[in-house]
Amino acid sequence: AEVGFFHSFLNDFPQAETIRLSANYRSSQAILDASTQMMMAGSDKQESVRIYSGIKGVPTVGIIEAGSEKSEAVAVGKSIEQLLGGIGFTSMDFGQVDARTDDKAFGFADVAVLFRSAGVGVVLAEMLTTAGIPNQLTTVKKHSLDTGLQAVLSAFRLLEGLGSYLDFEAVAPYLYDRLTPRDINQLVQWGIDHDCSLPQVLDRACRLPLSGMEKSSQRKIFELTRKLETFQRKLAKQTPEEKLESLVRKLPLSDFDDWEASFRELVAYLQSTGGSASNPLDWVSHISLQTDTDRYNHRAEKVTLLTMHAAKGLEFPVVFVTGCEDDLIPLRLPGRDENNSDEERRLFYVAMTRAKELLYLTYCRKRTIFGQSKTRLPSPYLIDIENRLKYYDNLSSKRHRIKGPEQLDLF
């Protein structure tokens, strides 16, 4: 999304009518003012249309500073407890309920915690769970990065006749340990050269010699194929979940770290898909195509944790945007070109305007980045917001309060 495209359109079609939308029906005026100030600070055009919502609400945006990512998660948890009126015996020690809320009580489902990096979400989920705050982390775990789980999923697809050459390469050594990488490569290369699908090349290898493939290699492929067929017959009457559990028992997964937790998470997710549970094709589709938003359950009475990208189109009465630090918001990765600054501002604007009533922006003075604890600075986007719109939570240190532009009084 580039603003320049709109300008080019107006140059190409000068007779086109421009309609400026200035009404917002979601967020309070303070949230709109703060987000608009942040956006306009990155624009070289001074003119802007102020957006109105007619929702008076709380006159400030909360700012929370923390010492580290764990203390940031603790601060978010304490703030949630305050907003809910205290859910544990220790909540008495956390100070008064946020003075901005007019003692209004919220539910867990009213709260969302957003983050730029998925790693931040993992820390938040662990700390909230420890504090007894129910939460749903909607970030999709990249199951393909977990080799053990990938082997289970590849075997499942092969048994259902939905496997690809990639699945065969991933699981063949675990189904038949006599196979070597050379054997596998010869079969895959023959299939690609002759434009055959995996089922076709396996069938051909069991009946006819494959040119360029050693007899010993083809004999191993034959034995593996018969083993797969036997396994298919044994599991034919099992549900997809039972098949996955059988594969877990069959494959040597003890060499892989954390595969068991990943498997439990995967099965729990697939069970939540309801009516699709009996259809293996649906299961494979869910595994391949699931997104963060797909995992969000709006009926669950839990705090929702999701990335800023996944939050698009959603809204919550209370939103915490965590990790508001330079190099994270806006994101700058070492050794890579800087992200489009305009796009980063728009993403942060989306995150801020997911909030309907209360918005908190949090940051750390130190955060562990790639295994090293590094000193952090607040995001420059926070500095773009006028001080009159900022409320420093009592969990923040007054010594480190960031200064933004001041609104001068004339009288």
Side-chain angles (χ1 to χ4, degrees):
E2 288 289 342
V3 177
F5 292 147
F6 293 96
H7 297 157
S8 298
F9 180 86
L10 291 175
N11 291 334
D12 295 339
F13 302 93
Q15 73 280 10
E17 181 183 1
T18 300
I19 300 175
R20 297 183 182 273
L21 304 179
S22 59
N24 178 288
Y25 301 98
R26 176 192 299 122
S27 304
S28 69
Q29 194 60 51
I31 294 172
L32 292 179
D33 289 346
S35 56
T36 300
Q37 286 176 7
M38 182 276 303
M39 278 298 297
M40 294 311 300
S43 172
D44 54 3
K45 292 185 175 292
Q46 295 302 315
E47 73 223 41
S48 65
V49 176
R50 187 182 180 191
I51 301 177
Y52 292 90
S53 66
I55 304 172
K56 200 167 185 181
V58 174
T60 52
V61 169
I63 307 292
I64 299 178
E65 181 198 73
S68 66
E69 61 264 42
K70 287 190 176 180
S71 59
E72 177 185 45
V74 170
V76 170
K78 290 178 178 179
S79 297
I80 292 173
E81 281 201 331
Q82 292 174 359
L83 292 172
L84 271 63
I87 61 172
F89 293 113
T90 58
S91 61
M92 294 181 289
D93 300 327
F94 297 158
Q96 297 298 318
V97 172
D98 189 338
R100 302 179 302 148
T101 64
D102 293 328
D103 294 330
K104 177 177 179 178
F106 296 92
F108 292 117
D110 294 327
V111 182
V113 184
L114 312 185
F115 40 86
R116 184 66 175 85
S117 167
V120 176
V122 173
V123 175
L124 288 164
E126 290 176 352
M127 298 302 291
L128 292 182
T129 300
T130 300
I133 298 177
N135 62 87
Q136 53 176 333
L137 178 60
T138 64
T139 305
V140 173
K141 184 169 184 177
K142 301 305 180 185
H143 298 298
S144 59
L145 300 180
D146 186 318
T147 310
L149 188 58
Q150 180 59 50
V152 173
L153 297 179
S154 293
F156 178 80
R157 285 190 283 261
L158 286 176
L159 291 174
E160 297 299 332
L162 303 169
S164 66
Y165 286 117
L166 291 177
D167 292 316
F168 183 78
E169 290 175 322
V171 77
Y174 307 111
L175 287 174
Y176 192 67
D177 56 11
R178 291 179 57 194
L179 275 176
T180 66
R182 177 182 174 82
D183 300 329
I184 296 171
N185 290 337
Q186 284 184 346
L187 179 79
V188 171
Q189 192 58 53
W190 193 95
I192 293 173
D193 291 342
H194 291 80
D195 196 24
C196 293
S197 66
L198 179 63
Q200 289 173 331
V201 74
L202 289 176
D203 179 66
R204 173 69 182 262
C206 291
R207 295 186 297 105
L208 300 168
L210 300 183
S211 58
M213 191 171 188
E214 298 173 0
K215 289 185 178 180
S216 60
S217 297
Q218 192 163 344
R219 190 177 301 111
K220 294 176 189 176
I221 297 297
F222 174 83
E223 292 172 359
L224 170 61
T225 303
R226 291 294 174 258
K227 195 172 184 179
L228 278 172
E229 291 174 351
T230 301
F231 210 39
Q232 281 178 317
R233 287 194 295 271
K234 288 182 177 179
L235 305 184
K237 295 184 179 180
Q238 291 187 356
T239 66
E241 181 188 347
E242 291 170 340
K243 288 180 181 179
L244 286 173
E245 291 177 348
S246 297
L247 287 170
V248 166
R249 291 193 297 269
K250 182 70 175 176
L251 298 176
L253 299 176
S254 58
D255 296 336
F256 305 115
D257 294 332
D258 203 31
W259 67 267
E260 198 168 358
S262 299
F263 174 73
R264 287 197 299 268
E265 179 187 342
L266 175 65
V267 170
Y269 170 73
L270 293 175
Q271 287 174 331
S272 72
T273 60
S276 64
S278 62
N279 189 335
L281 182 58
D282 284 350
W283 277 51
V284 172
S285 297
H286 278 296
I287 294 167
S288 304
L289 303 176
Q290 60 174 308
T291 64
D292 291 359
T293 308
D294 292 331
R295 293 165 65 93
Y296 167 57
N297 181 1
H298 68 278
R299 294 187 179 90
E301 188 55 35
K302 299 179 179 180
V303 173
T304 301
L305 282 67
L306 70 172
T307 63
M308 292 163 60
H309 281 99
K312 294 178 180 179
L314 302 177
E315 59 183 45
F316 301 87
V318 182
V319 169
F320 293 81
V321 183
T322 60
C324 296
E325 301 144 26
D326 200 11
D327 290 343
L328 197 53
I329 300 176
L331 182 64
R332 301 186 189 93
L333 296 176
R336 299 188 186 181
D337 295 336
E338 184 174 339
N339 283 13
N340 185 309
S341 58
D342 291 339
E343 183 64 25
E344 288 290 303
R345 279 189 185 271
R346 286 193 286 270
L347 180 61
F348 192 51
Y349 179 87
V350 168
M352 293 177 69
T353 53
R354 297 311 90 196
K356 299 169 65 176
E357 300 178 42
L358 291 176
L359 172 64
Y360 293 84
L361 308 175
T362 76
Y363 64 95
C364 300
R365 295 194 297 275
K366 282 190 176 182
R367 186 180 295 275
T368 301
I369 307 292
F370 300 115
Q372 295 182 335
S373 179
K374 296 186 177 181
T375 301
R376 312 289 288 172
L377 295 174
S379 168
Y381 298 163
L382 301 187
I383 301 174
D384 296 333
I385 302 172
E386 290 181 3
N387 287 332
R388 67 180 179 84
L389 293 174
K390 298 174 188 175
Y391 168 86
Y392 286 85
D393 190 276
N394 58 7
L395 298 168
S396 299
S397 169
K398 297 180 181 179
R399 294 178 299 142
H400 298 277
R401 291 185 177 180
I402 49 180
K403 293 185 177 181
E406 297 281 357
Q407 177 70 44
L408 301 179
D409 294 329
L410 296 178
F411 304 100

